[in-house]
Amino acid sequence: MIIRDRYAPSPTGLQHIGGIRTALFNYLFARSVQGGKFILRLEDTDRTRFDESYVQNLYDTFEWLGLAWDEGPAFENRSFSAGGGQFGPYIQSERTHHYKKYAQELLDKGQAYYCFCSAQRIDEVRRQREASHSSETGYDRFCRNIDPQEAAKKAASGEACTVRLKIPLGEATLFNDHLLGGIEWKNDDVNPDPVLLKSDGFPTYHLANVVDDHLMEVTHVLRAQEWLASTPLHVIMYRAFGWTPPEFCHLPMVMGQDGKKLSKRHGATSIDEFRKQGYLPAALLNYVALLGASYEEGKDIYTLDELAQRFSLEKLNKAPAVFDYKKLEWYNGQYIRMMSDDELAQQCLPYAADAGLFSGEKEEAAKQMDTFTRAIPLVKERLVFLNEVPEKIAYLFKEPQLPAAEEFIPKKSDLAKTIELLQIGKELVCALAEAPDDGHAESLIKAEAEKRDVKLGDLMMPLRVAVTGSRVSPPLFGSLRILGADCSAERVQKALEKLKLQSEDKTGCK
Ligand code: GLU
């Protein structure tokens, strides 16, 4: 079977995890069969909530994630180059002629009618219902029985009007959902005669969505469960047009770990935030693909192609998916370690530049870049987020501020002994910085520790703090090699002076 599916966001907010999960499932489903097509459609007919920046955010997100859609109108004169390459997405605000035509078709068939009710009247009905504690909601079908010819004349004369769907009352609407099974709604409980075409000539979501899914020959609608309540209405419209509805699959919600719908309260939700935090797109996609779907027991890491090969609607879970930030962090770490050092350096470069790491003179640029590429392997093993890099390696670019003397002192030691330890460190530091690799450096310092009868850890600690400014740092020997003998020795000397000064202060010898 040829699958044609779509992601159809409304640009009324930033792209977030839930939306991207819908996009990804559609993408994978289309790619799970030969000839499948994944469509991107911008549902931008709600002009009051439209914001161009959200459109840009959609393209940026697709580009960053590397998700490409498969067809669309020519993509010219646009200020972005999104993942779709030569195709643009379908944009509903550019397709209003279709919706007008199909609204007219329903009017002609007697399945829709003109409504001349003003916003004030509708408001008044609502107020009256409230006052009388009526449980009725929605439109009161006031214009449903106006003579169609008379209504058409009024509309043609320019009187403000909308077009409403005439929901057949006293019947039930049935449809099947892949995950939820057969669903039956009494038509009397469906949103009463919803507007299809607004008075500004723009369609509502319902009309544009159904018309486009039909015109674009969409075979499967995979969308968030919050749209389930609209589906009976859509099925009624398909029937009114005489069209076959697509297959529906409403995806389970994405929850936080407290069982509530995932929201800002739980942490980052917009893809932008994840990008800024230093997540890798591949890690995010891998994790999101598993939100509510199970593939192979015991396998966590999948490429997009592997996911597409395995994806099927049968793999989707009915139960809500729980978003686990810790698990996503784990994925990010895994993907970081799967990258080559060069690739990782490339990925981290924008974060380093943004953090102002390369603020030196032009002549220093090459040296700084060399420092940067050599620093990456030092931090790679423990890295969780790309944006941690600048802070972790800043001491390689700028002399760190030395912490208080206490920070230099190993456990069960004191200031006087620490000064001795650092003195040994000073004598060793050039040899360590010039050692060809960690192995050589380690045997040098070990031999010295044995000779002087001090613990290796005690010898390393003050040296580490002197050179990196902190007790916790990337590996010391690698850092010394990057800084070089002169710079390393200079830092140790400064630290020694600081400790000695402190010691004199304490003993009152000054
Ligand atoms: N425009 C709707 C949204 O913003 C799309 C719903 C659907 O996929 O049918 O999510």
Side-chain angles (χ1 to χ4, degrees):
M1 174 190 202
I2 296 290
I3 291 168
R4 291 176 58 84
D5 62 16
R6 77 324 187 254
Y7 176 48
S10 300
T12 52
L14 294 174
Q15 290 300 304
H16 54 80
I17 287 293
I20 282 309
R21 203 254 321 235
T22 302
L24 181 59
F25 280 13
N26 277 289
Y27 174 94
L28 295 174
F29 188 37
R31 275 163 181 60
S32 69
V33 293
Q34 196 132 47
K37 292 274 186 269
F38 168 61
I39 291 166
L40 179 66
R41 186 171 78 218
L42 219 64
E43 301 209 323
D44 61 344
T45 56
D46 184 350
R47 303 314 283 177
T48 55
R49 292 171 66 209
F50 176 81
D51 189 325
E52 186 63 45
S53 67
Y54 296 139
V55 178
Q56 187 62 49
N57 173 259
L58 172 72
Y59 298 131
D60 291 347
T61 302
F62 265 67
E63 187 147 311
W64 182 66
L65 291 173
L67 292 180
W69 56 92
D70 295 320
E71 61 174 52
F75 199 50
E76 286 161 13
N77 303 328
R78 298 200 201 277
S79 57
F80 37 73
S81 63
Q86 73 269 40
F87 305 118
Y90 291 105
I91 299 178
Q92 288 190 328
S93 60
E94 295 174 2
R95 301 168 50 80
T96 49
H97 55 288
H98 290 297
Y99 316 124
K100 281 187 187 146
K101 174 179 153 208
Y102 284 103
Q104 187 61 50
E105 186 176 317
L106 288 186
L107 284 166
D108 294 345
K109 286 180 159 179
Q111 308 274 13
Y113 60 90
Y114 287 110
C115 168
F116 301 93
C117 292
S118 63
Q120 289 90 314
R121 180 182 175 272
I122 287 174
D123 232 34
E124 185 51 36
V125 170
R126 190 177 47 77
R127 260 199 298 270
Q128 279 173 10
R129 282 176 178 165
E130 264 170 27
S132 62
H133 303 288
S134 159
S135 60
E136 276 185 280
T137 54
Y139 182 56
D140 64 355
R141 306 186 180 94
F142 186 76
C143 295
R144 184 170 164 126
N145 295 319
I146 300 179
D147 173 62
Q149 276 177 359
E150 208 180 291
K153 256 194 224 152
K154 272 168 74 158
S157 75
E159 194 166 324
C161 60
T162 59
V163 175
R164 288 183 181 272
L165 179 66
K166 194 184 253 179
I167 302 245
L169 297 174
E171 299 176 15
T173 297
L174 272 127
F175 62 93
N176 189 61
D177 181 277
H178 245 282
L179 277 178
L180 307 170
I183 293 182
E184 182 174 344
W185 278 59
K186 286 197 190 102
N187 285 4
D188 296 37
D189 293 340
V190 171
N191 177 6
D193 295 2
V195 172
L196 299 180
L197 209 57
K198 294 179 269 187
S199 53
D200 62 3
F202 268 86
T204 54
Y205 152 70
H206 302 298
L207 177 66
N209 186 273
V210 166
V211 166
D212 276 347
D213 279 345
H214 173 72
L215 293 181
M216 293 169 195
E217 297 174 18
V218 167
T219 57
H220 292 78
V221 167
L222 274 57
R223 63 180 168 200
Q225 224 162 68
E226 64 191 277
W227 298 104
L228 186 64
S230 300
T231 309
L233 180 59
H234 295 182
V235 173
I236 291 171
M237 282 169 68
Y238 280 104
R239 305 244 157 93
F241 280 118
W243 299 337
T244 312
E247 290 193 37
F248 294 101
C249 179
H250 290 88
L251 304 170
M253 305 256 282
V254 183
M255 309 286 207
Q257 287 196 302
D258 56 0
K260 301 215 171 89
K261 191 179 171 191
L262 189 71
S263 74
K264 284 205 178 75
R265 281 182 306 112
H266 297 103
T269 54
S270 82
I271 305 305
D272 237 16
E273 284 172 279
F274 287 107
R275 184 169 56 76
K276 286 187 189 135
Q277 268 185 36
Y279 278 97
L280 292 167
L284 192 65
L285 285 174
N286 193 151
Y287 180 60
V288 169
L290 302 175
L291 276 179
S294 325
Y295 302 89
E296 267 170 47
E297 195 66 43
K299 182 170 161 71
D300 296 303
I301 305 283
Y302 297 92
T303 63
L304 268 188
D305 280 348
E306 287 174 331
L307 287 165
Q309 279 160 21
R310 287 164 176 78
F311 191 93
S312 75
L313 297 185
E314 282 60 49
K315 302 252 170 73
L316 300 182
N317 307 330
K318 248 192 213 178
V322 177
F323 194 87
D324 180 349
Y325 285 88
K326 281 277 164 263
K327 187 81 197 197
L328 176 59
E329 283 179 18
W330 178 84
Y331 269 102
N332 214 43
Q334 295 300 309
Y335 273 85
I336 284 176
R337 281 172 274 297
M338 276 167 10
M339 274 195 276
S340 71
D341 293 349
D342 282 350
E343 257 179 299
L344 182 58
Q346 279 306 317
Q347 292 280 348
C348 293
L349 206 55
Y351 297 89
D354 278 359
L357 210 59
F358 310 121
S359 55
E361 299 294 312
K362 260 203 174 145
E363 307 80 70
E364 278 190 49
K367 183 168 176 282
Q368 290 199 328
M369 201 44 72
D370 181 55
T371 300
F372 181 70
T373 34
R374 290 174 70 195
I376 290 296
L378 294 189
V379 292
K380 187 176 177 184
E381 269 325 293
R382 301 240 179 112
L383 204 60
V384 181
F385 304 116
L386 302 184
N387 70 350
E388 293 173 287
V389 167
E391 202 196 321
K392 278 192 191 303
I393 64 173
Y395 68 94
L396 295 171
F397 292 80
K398 205 173 142 225
E399 197 176 310
Q401 258 214 321
L402 291 178
E406 295 70 54
E407 285 294 303
F408 288 79
I409 305 176
K411 245 197 201 150
K412 294 194 195 144
S413 190
D414 58 27
L415 186 56
K417 278 190 208 141
T418 306
I419 293 175
E420 281 170 31
L421 289 166
L422 196 53
Q423 188 63 44
I424 306 174
K426 186 186 154 195
E427 287 157 28
L428 264 184
V429 75
C430 292
L432 293 175
E434 279 161 2
D437 53 42
D438 283 0
H440 280 84
E442 195 170 334
S443 33
L444 265 178
I445 197 165
K446 260 192 183 156
E448 196 64 24
E450 271 170 32
K451 196 170 100 193
R452 309 270 191 151
D453 198 21
V454 293
K455 281 195 202 144
L456 179 62
D458 288 0
L459 188 52
M460 299 261 297
M461 156 96 88
L463 193 56
R464 180 187 298 278
V465 180
V467 172
T468 69
S470 166
R471 281 174 178 239
V472 192
S473 77
L476 178 61
F477 303 141
S479 305
L480 292 172
R481 284 199 297 279
I482 294 175
L483 290 169
D486 290 350
C487 173
S488 304
E490 217 174 280
R491 288 189 183 184
V492 177
Q493 178 59 32
K494 274 199 186 153
L496 253 181
E497 281 163 19
K498 177 183 169 107
L499 295 190
K500 282 183 184 163
L501 215 63
Q502 175 93 5
S503 154
E504 285 163 12
D505 270 359
K506 271 203 180 147
T507 51
C509 291
K510 213 179 169 191

